[in-house]
Each structure stands twice: as structure tokens, then as C-alpha cells.
Amino acid sequence: MSKYKVVEKFVSINGEGVLAGQLAVFIRFKGCNLNCSYCDTAWANQKDAAYTLMSDQQIYNYIKETGVKNVTLTGGEPLQNPNIIQLIQMLTKDTDLQVEIETNGSIDLSMFAAIDHAPSFTMDYKLASSMMESEMLVTNFKLLKKKDTVKFVVGNLQDLDRARDIITANQLMNQCHVYISTVYNKIDLVDVVNYMIKHSMNGVTLQLQMHKIIWEPNQRGV
Ligand SMILES: C[S@@+](CC[C@H](N)C(=O)[O-])C[C@H]1O[C@@H](n2cnc3c(N)ncnc32)[C@H](O)[C@@H]1O
Ligand SMILES: Nc1nc2[nH]cc(C(=O)O)c2c(=O)[nH]1
Ligand code: SF4
Ligand SMILES: [Mg+2]
């Protein structure tokens, strides 16, 4: 049985994505293969970050004890542990749960495509201001389904230009949800909306991180 390094687990409202505003139970895994300039959970990626080793069953039991049905696996990078497919299979077998996975766009999603009752993926496409764009695996786009999301976290207007190019070149609007989020406190939100109007970005959703509005932005466990 696999064990996973969990740095925190908590119940909150989901602050991001298509289920934003709904209750969710979060499992945050330690460590990441990328190092984005703006990462708000860099603490979880440090070698000396404290963690609890948990098995698939212990994670499942914790989730069920909370009584919360939306489950978000995040990190760090949850999919960098190849055994995570076992946990995903255990969670998705329980059709009472709605499983969502936050992933950074650098991990090949093909091995997860065949899972029964597939989870929904929110896959970032890291833009230039993250300093991680060269790590993006664009072959993942074709694996995404209607319930999945590509998320662009923009730090400046050049990032928005690039996001628009990627959306068009890969016809993402026909593939899945498309979200624009903003690097917290980094870019004028009015500029982002005006950009969306100017470029007729129909169907694209702008999302702000709700938990950073409700709580102090650096607070953990929310
Ligand atoms: C912390 S990451 C963990 C999952 C995975 N490693 C990833 O990058 O998608 C979860 C989400 O938070 C976003 N994020 C991280 N730092 C942020 C910041 N400063 N402002 C806005 N979003 C941020 C990431 O882009 C990602 O969409
Ligand atoms: N409330 C809340 N919602 C979230 N949605 C995605 C998160 C993440 O860190 O992946 C997150 C988070 O850290 N907190
Ligand atoms: S990929 Fe996600 S966890 Fe990793 S550094 Fe970037 S934002 Fe942070
Ligand atoms: Mg977060």
C-alpha cells in the first residue's frame, strides 16, 4: 500500500475553479517539480516541510469523516508521485465523492485518462511570468474533457496575450473550461476585464482566489 506525504488537510470553501464557493475537503501533498515565481504554497515544496505519511485508506477515511463531498487534491504537485493513481482510483470508486485535481501542466496526464469515473483536472498552463513555461506539456490539452479546466494564471498583459494565443491555437474553448486567474496582487483587475472585453474573450471565466479575500492571504489551512 502506498503512502503519501501530506503537508496539510482541511475543509474550506473551494476558492478556485468551477466549484468555487462550494465546500471542499483539501489534501495538500508535499513537494513540486516546478518552482513558479509566484507560488503561494512554496512552503509545502521545501525539503524540510513537515508532513504526515498517510496511506490511501487513511486519506479516504479522513475525507469520509469530514462529510464533505467535493475533494481537491493539490500541493505541491499531487501527480508527481506515480502511485497517486491508486489513491485516485480509490476515491473515484466512491461515486458520492466529486474529485478534482490541481496539476501544474508539466505532468503527462495520459495514464489518468483511463480511470473509471474520471476525476476532473484543473491543469495550469504556466505563462512566462511564472518562469516555468518551458516545462509545459502541450500534448496534455488533447486529453482534457468537457469537465476539465485549463487555467492561465496571469501576472501581466503579456501573459494575457500568450494565454489568448494558446487558447486559439489549441481550440481550447471546444475542449474544456477555460479560466483566467491572476497572480495575487500583481496585476490590475480592471485591466484584465478590459482586456477580455477588447478581445471578445467569450466563454472564458475570470476567477479570483476567494479564500484570499475571505481570510488573510497567507493563512494556511483555508
Ligand atoms: C499551489 S498550486 C498546486 C497545484 C499545482 N502545483 C499547480 O500549480 O497547479 C494551486 C493553484 O494555485 C495557483 N497559484 C499559486 N500561487 C498563486 C498566486 N500567487 N496567485 C494566484 N494563483 C496562484 C497555481 O497557479 C495553481 O493553479
Ligand atoms: N480555499 C482554497 N481553495 C483552493 N482551491 C485550490 C487551492 C489550491 O491550493 O490548490 C485552494 C486553497 O488553497 N484554498
Ligand atoms: S507548480 Fe504549483 S506548487 Fe509547484 S511551484 Fe508552481 S504553483 Fe507552486
Ligand atoms: Mg492555494
Side-chain angles (χ1 to χ4, degrees), residues 56-215:
D56 311 82
Q57 191 67 50
Q58 285 171 321
I59 292 172
Y60 178 73
N61 291 349
Y62 166 72
I63 289 166
K64 294 303 278 186
E65 278 160 21
T66 67
V68 172
K69 300 194 172 190
N70 294 332
V71 179
T72 300
L73 305 183
T74 187
E77 174 49 47
L79 300 185
Q80 69 173 353
N81 179 343
N83 293 329
I84 197 110
I85 192 158
Q86 293 167 25
L87 173 65
I88 297 171
Q89 275 162 341
M90 177 179 276
L91 299 182
T92 53
K93 215 180 280 170
D94 184 338
T95 51
D96 245 11
L97 301 177
Q98 175 108 12
V99 181
E100 176 196 31
I101 299 174
E102 299 265 335
T103 185
N104 66 20
S106 76
I107 309 281
D108 184 359
L109 297 181
S110 52
M111 76 183 287
F112 305 102
I115 297 177
D116 289 339
H117 313 292
S120 61
F121 292 94
T122 297
M123 190 190 88
D124 271 24
Y125 181 92
K126 304 292 182 190
L127 295 158
S129 73
S130 72
M131 307 299 283
M132 293 293 131
E133 189 172 1
S134 60
E135 304 297 319
M136 292 301 94
L137 217 54
V138 292
T139 47
N140 274 335
F141 288 141
K142 283 281 162 270
L143 299 169
L144 298 176
K145 312 238 164 64
K146 283 282 176 206
K147 67 176 174 177
D148 299 322
T149 301
V150 173
K151 178 160 101 177
F152 298 91
V153 177
V154 300
N156 54 42
L157 293 178
Q158 291 71 41
D159 278 355
L160 270 169
D161 283 335
R162 178 72 177 148
R164 204 158 52 87
D165 286 348
I166 300 279
I167 292 167
T168 308
N170 296 280
Q171 298 185 18
L172 292 183
M173 300 309 298
N174 300 328
Q175 186 89 21
C176 59
H177 301 288
V178 177
Y179 273 56
I180 301 278
S181 189
T182 53
V183 178
Y184 185 75
N185 249 351
K186 190 71 197 295
I187 177 169
D188 188 330
L189 299 172
V190 176
D191 289 347
V192 177
V193 176
N194 285 337
Y195 184 100
M196 290 173 71
I197 294 168
K198 180 174 173 194
H199 296 283
S200 302
M201 293 175 75
N202 290 297
V204 173
T205 302
L206 170 63
Q207 70 121 84
L208 308 180
Q209 292 178 295
M210 229 185 246
H211 49 296
K212 292 187 186 173
I213 299 169
I214 300 175
W215 291 278

Side-chain angles (χ1 to χ4, degrees), residues 32-36 38-42 45 75-77 104 124 126 132:
C32 187
N33 58 319
L34 301 187
N35 184 18
C36 302
Y38 51 72
C39 182
D40 61 8
T41 49
N45 304 338
E77 174 49 47
N104 66 20
D124 271 24
K126 304 292 182 190
M132 293 293 131

Side-chain angles (χ1 to χ4, degrees), residues 2-38:
S2 304
K3 295 248 187 187
Y4 308 91
K5 294 178 179 177
V6 174
V7 289
E8 63 176 1
K9 55 190 194 317
F10 56 93
V11 170
S12 184
I13 50 107
N14 198 338
E16 304 174 23
V18 292
L19 297 177
Q22 293 192 20
L23 286 181
V25 50
F26 291 84
I27 310 292
R28 191 180 304 285
F29 297 92
K30 177 174 169 158
C32 187
N33 58 319
L34 301 187
N35 184 18
C36 302
S37 61
Y38 51 72

